[in-house]
Each structure stands twice: as structure tokens, then as C-alpha cells.
Amino acid sequence: MKENFSSQSGSPHEALTITMMIKRQPGYSPKHGDWEYVQFDRQGKVLLAGKGTESAIQKVCASCHESIKERDYIFANFYSKSK
């Protein structure tokens, strides 16, 4: 999960959205590690949700995560299982 903020003078200012990835069952989205991408606004309204093959998800989320396929598409590894 990642919190997204506006910026004011180079510092986080106003909370805007929350984005998260949910690991789904094998076969959900094999080309994108079986992850579902979801983005909510501050009131909990879903703004984006879907697979990495969908154009909006590809543009906003999946295209960056593809660069770390070897880490199961996850930038942070705090909650990743050990190898």
C-alpha cells in the first residue's frame, strides 16, 4: 500500500489517494505476476482497479512495476517473503 500526497514547497502536503496491489490466485494476470492494482480517493471511492494488461492500469501502475519483475513486481520488500 502507498499513500500519495500533493506537494507543497517540496514536502508532502495533502493526502490525495491510496494505491495498493493485491496478490490474486495463479492465472489471474500471469504476465503481471497475478497482481491486481487498486487506487482509492480519500473518501474510499475506487478510482482504478484491474489487471496490468488494462490500459489505464498499465499507464498509472504496471509499467513501472514491470521493471522489477524479479522482485515479484514489488518495490519495497518489507512484507515480502524470504527466498
Side-chain angles (χ1 to χ4, degrees):
M1 185 167 62
K2 179 180 89 167
E3 297 173 306
N4 304 294
F5 295 86
S6 64
S7 178
Q8 187 173 33
S9 301
S11 297
H13 180 60
E14 181 181 6
L16 299 175
T17 61
I18 294 176
T19 55
M20 58 190 252
M21 295 168 61
I22 302 167
K23 188 72 162 183
R24 297 296 186 189
Q25 70 280 1
Y28 171 79
S29 182
K31 291 184 179 182
H32 295 275
D34 295 318
W35 288 101
E36 178 182 12
Y37 297 86
V38 184
Q39 185 177 58
F40 302 90
D41 67 12
R42 293 185 314 195
Q43 289 74 39
K45 178 183 174 188
V46 175
L47 302 173
L48 288 171
K51 301 175 182 183
T53 54
E54 298 171 23
S55 62
I57 301 296
Q58 179 67 28
K59 182 178 179 180
V60 175
C61 310
S63 61
C64 288
H65 287 269
E66 288 172 355
S67 69
I68 52 171
K69 181 179 179 177
E70 71 282 354
R71 294 182 56 194
D72 196 23
Y73 303 87
I74 301 171
F75 284 100
N77 60 7
F78 186 78
Y79 290 109
S80 297
K81 64 181 178 181
S82 301
K83 292 187 178 186

